[in-house]
Amino acid sequence: TPAAAEAKEAFVRVGSIVVVFREVAAGRPRKGLVGIVLLDGGGRAPVSSGYGYGQPEFLPGVPLLGAATLEGTDHLDQHRNGVTGLGELVVWHAGDVDDAVDRLEGFGVHTHKHRSAKQMGPLKMAKFFFGDMRMLLVGSTDRHGGSVAELPAAAAWMAGRGAPGDGGADLTGVLLLASSLEQVATAVGPGCGASKKAQQPGRTICTVPRGAVGGIGCTLAFITDSGPTPLFTR
């Protein structure tokens, strides 16, 4: 569409994944996760071939974009701040998580081991893997969205910024793999928290809370990219 074509873009490679940063065009106030491209093993997008908005929705408010979105990105170098890969995405779904899982099933995207979403106190969570990258789809156990204010402090960062019950999806957390957390801290500046021992054996992690760095609307975490065990146990 004209609005999408006029938006400025920047591309960054993190491991085998290309991240596209798109400037919000006039009349489109949404920020955060605004689209996703699914490629099969041959590097093609099997579901959608278009570019921009108006495509089938991967999740409510998140269109499934075509392979044309990534044209001209083959030459990209690895991220200059020492980031080597994308470990995890946390996506908040303000509607019913089970409905969202059914939607993804329709695109051939299945939960890990085809397991149902798991209830965890006031939250419901479904787990997906795209290669080695994990995606957590999180929402309220209240099918009408519930109240973000009711979430425990340790889980509040997972909640989206939209109004509860609006049915939309929002990117709320990103875990990035890095070769050097010192390099990351230097690049990020004072918004980066101190490095500490991660839950994963032999790794360290640091966090950039949402809002600590201008233009970043989600929580970022950086974890060392090497350890004695895989990042996630399957």
Side-chain angles (χ1 to χ4, degrees), residues 143-213:
R143 65 178 295 113
H144 298 293
S147 173
V148 172
E150 296 173 0
L151 295 178
W157 66 271
M158 294 183 180
R161 294 162 291 169
D166 66 3
D170 195 11
L171 180 65
T172 58
V174 179
L175 176 65
L176 296 161
L177 305 174
S179 57
S180 169
L181 295 191
E182 290 77 11
Q183 189 176 353
V184 168
T186 299
V188 174
C192 185
S195 298
K196 60 182 180 180
K197 184 178 179 180
Q199 291 182 347
Q200 292 82 352
R203 298 178 190 257
T204 54
I205 190 170
C206 62
T207 303
V208 180
R210 183 170 66 195
V213 177

Side-chain angles (χ1 to χ4, degrees), residues 16-177:
S16 61
I17 295 174
V18 175
V19 180
V20 183
F21 295 92
R22 177 175 293 175
E23 184 180 82
V24 178
R28 298 189 181 277
R30 179 176 175 79
K31 298 181 180 180
L33 185 62
V34 297
I36 191 166
V37 179
L38 291 181
L39 300 178
D40 61 15
R44 299 177 298 273
V47 177
S48 173
S49 59
Y51 180 95
Y53 298 91
Q55 302 301 319
E57 288 192 324
F58 182 72
L59 288 169
V62 182
L64 187 65
L65 305 180
T69 307
L70 303 181
E71 285 183 356
T73 62
D74 293 340
H75 68 284
L76 290 176
D77 294 327
Q78 292 296 324
H79 197 283
R80 62 187 179 187
N81 293 338
V83 172
T84 59
L86 182 57
E88 182 178 65
L89 297 178
V90 179
V91 178
W92 173 265
H93 180 58
D96 186 276
V97 171
D98 292 323
D99 288 347
V101 168
D102 290 342
R103 177 192 292 265
L104 297 183
E105 291 274 349
F107 289 117
V109 178
H110 305 284
T111 60
H112 180 49
K113 297 183 178 179
H114 296 267
R115 291 173 176 168
S116 301
K118 183 179 180 180
Q119 186 166 333
M120 304 175 66
L123 298 178
K124 203 166 191 178
M125 180 183 299
K127 186 187 303 181
F128 301 82
F129 277 94
F130 298 87
D132 291 331
M133 189 201 79
R134 187 171 77 173
M135 183 181 82
L136 300 180
L137 182 64
V138 186
S140 170
T141 53
D142 181 345
R143 65 178 295 113
H144 298 293
S147 173
V148 172
E150 296 173 0
L151 295 178
W157 66 271
M158 294 183 180
R161 294 162 291 169
D166 66 3
D170 195 11
L171 180 65
T172 58
V174 179
L175 176 65
L176 296 161
L177 305 174

